[in-house]
Every structure is written in structure tokens, then in C-alpha cells.
Amino acid sequence: NVYDRLGNRDKALSAYFKYAELCKKSNDLRNLFNAYINIGGMIQMMGDEDLAYKYFQTALQGALVSGFSYETAKAYTLMGSWYVKKKDFVKAKELFFISIEINKENLPDENHLYYLAANYNELGVTFENEQNYSEALKYLNMSLDLFKQIGAQKVIAEVKERINRVFDKHQVSDKF
């Protein structure tokens, strides 16, 4: 994670693979699925969308079978974001709504609360891409409220910026 935050993707990816191997050897499935999620995210940032999806899918399947709700919700979210990039907004929303239900069922757990806020944010982005600005604003504001509750300052600023951008687009679209 430190390599990832420092922007050293090659070292981060290598460390995630080593972590996955250690998790396999110790039969630590929860962290193995988290490693797969991180590997998928890193590979996606490096440009291999299809391979990234395979890691997300593997993490999801394992987390579902094992009953790990947080990892399941996280994998659904990342797969939903993958579909947004592919412009399949229907499938993206379907996966985000599944993740939302899992996260709601597991509140007040802090991890689930964070991913619930992230899901609302991703739905806002998805609706923005569909040019459905009123729905985008609805979900972005829900996201902002939860991120404020958590105190995630960096994300709060990003969501506020997104809300302003979508609001401006909404104002312009109302004129036509």
C-alpha cells in the first residue's frame, strides 16, 4: 500500500503478489481476496482492464463463497467502476446497488460505511455519464453526507468539486 501511495506501481504490484502468496500459504482467505482486489486495482491503473477484471472477479467469487461481506461489497464496487469505464452503465448500476445492499446490511461497521459512501459517489458518476444530472446530484449529496460523517476530508473535497461540476451541467441542460 505504501508503494501504491508513493506512485511506485511496479513495486506495489510485486508486493501485492508476494502478499497473495503468503496469504495462500497461511490459508488467510480474507486477506488473499483483498490482495486480489489490490492486484486488480493496480493492474487496472497500469492499463490492462481485462486482466484487472479477472482479479476482481476472482476476489468476488472467493469472498462470496467465504461469506466475507466487506470484500464482497468492495469487489462489486470495483467491478461496477470497471463497467463505468466500459460505458455499460446499466451493469455498473446493478453492481453498485448490490454493493449498497451489502454495505447497508453491515452498518455501522466503518469499512461498510466508507464503501456505502463510495457506492453513492460512483452512482453519481454513473448518472453523470448518462447525463441524468438530477440523479447524479442526489447520489453525490448522499455520498457527501456519509463522507462528512466519516470525516474523510480529502474525499469530501473531491465530492464537493464533482457536485459543483454536475450542478453546472444540470443548470446548462435545464436551459435547453
Side-chain angles (χ1 to χ4, degrees):
N1 289 336
V2 172
Y3 288 133
D4 182 12
R5 288 186 184 111
L6 291 173
N8 193 332
R9 292 181 180 159
D10 291 331
K11 280 189 177 182
L13 187 58
S14 176
Y16 287 141
F17 275 117
K18 287 177 187 173
Y19 181 53
E21 286 304 313
L22 290 171
C23 291
K24 282 181 195 176
K25 286 179 184 175
S26 65
N27 202 30
D28 182 353
L29 296 178
R30 180 179 303 260
N31 285 312
L32 176 61
F33 304 139
N34 273 310
Y36 287 158
I37 287 168
N38 290 333
I39 289 168
M42 193 58 51
I43 289 171
Q44 187 174 38
M45 284 190 278
M46 295 169 96
D48 193 339
E49 295 286 333
D50 293 334
L51 184 58
Y53 188 83
K54 288 178 184 177
Y55 276 96
F56 297 149
Q57 202 169 37
T58 300
L60 175 62
Q61 290 167 350
L64 279 169
V65 168
S66 302
F68 300 141
S69 61
Y70 172 69
E71 291 75 14
T72 300
K74 191 174 179 181
Y76 275 126
T77 299
L78 292 170
M79 290 169 69
S81 297
W82 185 89
Y83 278 104
V84 169
K85 289 179 181 178
K86 297 290 185 182
K87 306 246 184 270
D88 186 343
F89 303 128
V90 171
K91 185 66 175 177
K93 289 186 288 189
E94 175 188 324
L95 297 175
F96 293 142
F97 281 119
I98 292 170
S99 185
I100 285 169
E101 289 308 310
I102 294 167
N103 286 315
K104 283 182 175 180
E105 289 170 7
N106 289 282
L107 292 177
D109 180 278
E110 203 172 278
N111 289 324
H112 284 286
L113 185 60
Y114 183 89
Y115 261 88
L116 181 58
N119 290 146
Y120 290 149
N121 182 63
E122 292 293 331
L123 276 170
V125 169
T126 305
F127 282 112
E128 177 187 5
N129 278 300
E130 292 180 317
Q131 298 180 349
N132 184 341
Y133 302 124
S134 59
E135 283 297 297
L137 288 169
K138 172 182 145 185
Y139 284 104
L140 289 171
N141 280 303
M142 291 168 69
S143 173
L144 180 62
D145 290 344
L146 289 179
F147 280 129
K148 283 181 179 177
Q149 183 180 336
I150 296 166
Q153 296 306 320
K154 181 182 178 206
V155 183
I156 289 169
E158 292 170 7
V159 175
K160 282 182 177 180
E161 198 174 294
R162 187 168 292 121
I163 288 171
N164 289 333
R165 184 185 68 235
V166 172
F167 182 78
D168 290 344
K169 287 179 181 179
H170 185 54
Q171 296 293 5
V172 169
S173 72
D174 280 352
K175 291 179 182 179
F176 296 100

